[in-house]
Amino acid sequence: MNTIIPAADCEYFEIKRLIDRLLARYSFLSCRSIGRSCAGRDIFCLSLGKSDEHVLLTAATHGSEHITANIALLFAEQLCAALEKGGEIAGIDARKAMLGRSLLIVPLCNPDGCEISVKGEQGAGYMAGKIRRLCGGDFTHWNANLRGVDINHNFSAGWRELHQLEQKSGIFGPGPTRFGGPYPESEPETRALTSLCRENHICHAVALHTQGEVIYWSYGEMQPPHSAKMAEIFAAESGYALDVPTGLAVGGGFKDWFISEFSRPGFTVEIGKGQNPLPAHDLYRLFGDVLGLLTLSVIM
Ligand SMILES: [Zn+2]
């Protein structure tokens, strides 16, 4: 594939450089920072289209799932290319797909966690010593942010119940994964997303994770209007299974918060199969799995 976005593990400055290249190539694409990580790295939000009806795509909330940043950026690139020439994406007329819609993409929700997973000790900066102790030297599988809080356990949706479950599972403080923080929305990365959603009308949100080839679409008993049908369409398009989270995967997540806060559809898509981090050379195949799903999410 001859693309700007490479099938390679990218550190933060590489992601920033790739976004700059996309912005230079496609004048109708814009980007702003919606907040800063614990280490002061920008949390970028790409924007396509002029409508006030936004679809939100998020990625790389977990450090070891950094390949999803490349997938989100590759989707932005392919959609821009199709829009520029009036062509198709996933067999769908791109300009028609974007009629009355705009797309917000936050490709790197957890820049510090991804930096730790990609670059190891060097990526942890001034927290390197503490993070080394917390992960036992296994930086690659780090999922949390710089303070050892799992962003996807830090949202205000069943946070207290999840907190109790974390403690029952022996999670009492910062670590590589699954610690929900001292209180909901304690982390700047979490607040960047909640502010974005509160300040814009988001019709529905799709959060990209790895792995499992599974789509989650409900939160407890909450099933916003149209979400079951949309989930079925996503599943049919991608070949991924629909599932319901259990145990430590219930509550605290972005999808859960989005559904409970707005009563609008929110989805978690677990891309690919294998052990995180999934290999970078599989990028284009994994992207192919979800290209149709992502394109349909813009239209629906
Ligand atoms: Zn994840």
Side-chain angles (χ1 to χ4, degrees):
M1 244 182 178
N2 186 20
T3 57
I4 290 174
I5 308 304
D9 296 328
C10 297
E11 58 179 270
Y12 171 74
F13 279 111
E14 176 69 6
I15 294 283
K16 194 170 186 300
R17 200 177 64 81
L18 292 170
I19 291 174
D20 286 341
R21 284 186 64 194
L22 289 176
L23 294 172
R25 175 71 184 76
Y26 299 105
S27 60
F28 49 90
L29 179 70
S30 63
C31 180
R32 66 185 190 276
S33 172
I34 57 167
R36 283 177 181 248
S37 69
C38 295
R41 295 185 175 99
D42 278 311
I43 298 169
F44 301 109
C45 179
L46 300 173
S47 178
L48 259 177
K50 293 190 168 61
S51 168
D52 291 330
E53 293 286 304
H54 304 283
V55 172
L56 174 62
L57 179 62
T58 70
T61 302
H62 287 139
S64 74
E65 303 172 9
H66 49 77
I67 195 169
T68 55
N70 299 52
I71 291 172
L73 289 172
L74 194 51
F75 180 59
E77 180 180 7
Q78 302 265 297
L79 185 55
C80 284
L83 285 168
E84 184 181 59
K85 62 173 193 246
E88 292 185 342
I89 179 164
I92 294 166
D93 183 307
R95 290 181 185 171
K96 281 186 186 160
M98 290 292 292
L99 276 180
R101 274 292 157 79
S102 72
L103 177 63
L104 301 174
I105 301 178
V106 183
L108 196 57
C109 293
N110 178 10
D112 301 348
C114 290
E115 199 75 345
I116 292 165
S117 178
V118 171
K119 289 175 72 180
E121 184 153 6
Q122 202 197 343
Y126 67 92
M127 291 285 279
K130 183 169 184 191
I131 286 174
R132 170 173 286 285
R133 281 195 298 281
L134 290 174
C135 71
D138 176 13
F139 294 93
T140 311
H141 296 100
W142 187 267
N143 275 340
N145 71 356
L146 193 70
R147 293 202 286 233
V149 176
D150 188 323
I151 302 304
N152 224 37
H153 280 221
N154 190 236
F155 287 87
S156 184
W159 184 90
R160 191 164 298 279
E161 293 81 355
L162 181 63
H163 187 64
Q164 287 165 354
L165 263 186
E166 286 166 10
Q167 296 193 324
K168 274 189 191 155
S169 308
I171 299 165
F172 295 99
T177 184
R178 293 178 166 179
F179 172 58
Y183 53 90
E185 291 192 39
S186 59
E187 304 308 297
E189 295 87 355
T190 314
R191 292 194 299 273
L193 283 183
T194 54
S195 300
L196 179 72
C197 293
R198 288 177 178 129
E199 289 160 14
N200 296 276
H201 185 272
I202 313 281
C203 314
H204 50 265
V206 178
L208 301 184
H209 290 250
T210 57
Q211 48 78 47
E213 300 192 345
V214 167
I215 300 166
Y216 299 107
W217 58 280
S218 59
Y219 170 47
E221 299 291 301
M222 290 183 215
Q223 301 178 359
H226 312 299
S227 53
K229 182 54 83 184
M230 290 172 73
E232 279 173 25
I233 293 169
F234 289 157
E237 175 62 34
S238 60
Y240 288 7
L242 297 180
D243 205 353
V244 177
T246 54
L248 277 172
V250 179
F254 170 68
K255 159 192 72 72
D256 309 317
W257 172 80
F258 186 84
I259 290 174
S260 64
E261 182 85 0
F262 302 108
S263 299
R264 293 188 213 123
F267 305 90
T268 297
V269 179
E270 298 281 359
I271 300 172
K273 263 196 178 149
Q275 211 204 8
N276 291 330
L278 295 181
H281 61 76
D282 273 349
L283 175 70
Y284 299 122
R285 184 178 63 76
L286 296 170
F287 177 69
D289 278 3
V290 292
L291 173 60
L293 182 160
L294 295 173
T295 306
L296 287 173
S297 79
V298 178
I299 299 175
M300 287 197 287

